[in-house]
Amino acid sequence: MKRLILLIITLLPLTVYAQQQSFDELAAEYSTIEGCTTLNISRTMFEYMGVSIGADSMKVISIELSELIPHFMEQIAPIVADMEGLMTLNTDGQAVDIYQRSIDGSVCEMIIITANKSECIAMLLRGDNLELHKIDSLINGN
């Protein structure tokens, strides 16, 4: 009986971890829902476009059904919970949140979430060393 209890206690953290979805799993889930659009851009496509921001990939989830947004925000909250929050902007009903994950001082993941009452867009950039100033110029069209 003690072994069974010890086994359950040992495996409990694994079940909690297994329940947390990754951004990739969210993109796969929302790709099958009407009113949602997903986009995946590879490093090769960045090169074809002449864009150099240090990204290996970019995934985007766009939700255009207001009733799905609260659930999506609940699903993405645990994903960004262990990331560093860089910026939060709230203006005229529009919210923008930017998070990053760094390894040894190099930014390897960045999530940008833009949401209002009727639309939500979440973008994940991955790379070995994302160049933030280049990402800013890409977003702002400079």
Side-chain angles (χ1 to χ4, degrees), residues 24-142:
D24 296 327
E25 291 167 332
L26 277 180
E29 176 184 334
Y30 282 87
S31 71
T32 63
I33 299 173
E34 190 171 328
C36 300
T37 304
T38 58
L39 170 69
N40 185 20
I41 299 176
S42 69
R43 173 187 272 302
T44 304
M45 187 63 185
F46 279 124
E47 291 170 1
Y48 286 151
M49 297 182 329
V51 176
S52 175
I53 57 174
D56 292 328
S57 66
M58 179 172 81
K59 288 189 185 274
V60 179
I61 303 169
S62 175
I63 301 169
E64 298 162 2
L65 295 174
S66 58
E67 60 269 16
L68 295 176
I69 295 171
H71 181 63
F72 176 78
M73 295 304 281
E74 288 175 8
Q75 288 179 291
I76 202 160
I79 295 170
V80 298
D82 65 342
M83 298 178 83
E84 177 185 1
L86 294 181
M87 184 184 89
T88 298
L89 171 68
N90 291 297
T91 182
D92 298 327
Q94 183 80 22
V96 179
D97 296 300
I98 302 176
Y99 304 90
Q100 77 173 15
R101 178 173 291 118
S102 300
I103 297 176
D104 298 327
S106 295
V107 178
C108 61
E109 285 186 339
M110 179 176 281
I111 294 179
I112 302 169
I113 304 168
T114 305
N116 59 34
K117 291 180 182 178
S118 61
E119 184 179 34
C120 179
I121 299 171
M123 177 175 67
L124 168 68
L125 288 162
R126 283 193 181 118
D128 293 333
N129 189 15
L130 296 172
E131 298 180 47
L132 302 180
H133 66 283
K134 290 184 179 180
I135 293 169
D136 178 57
S137 66
L138 176 68
I139 291 170
N140 292 314
N142 298 330

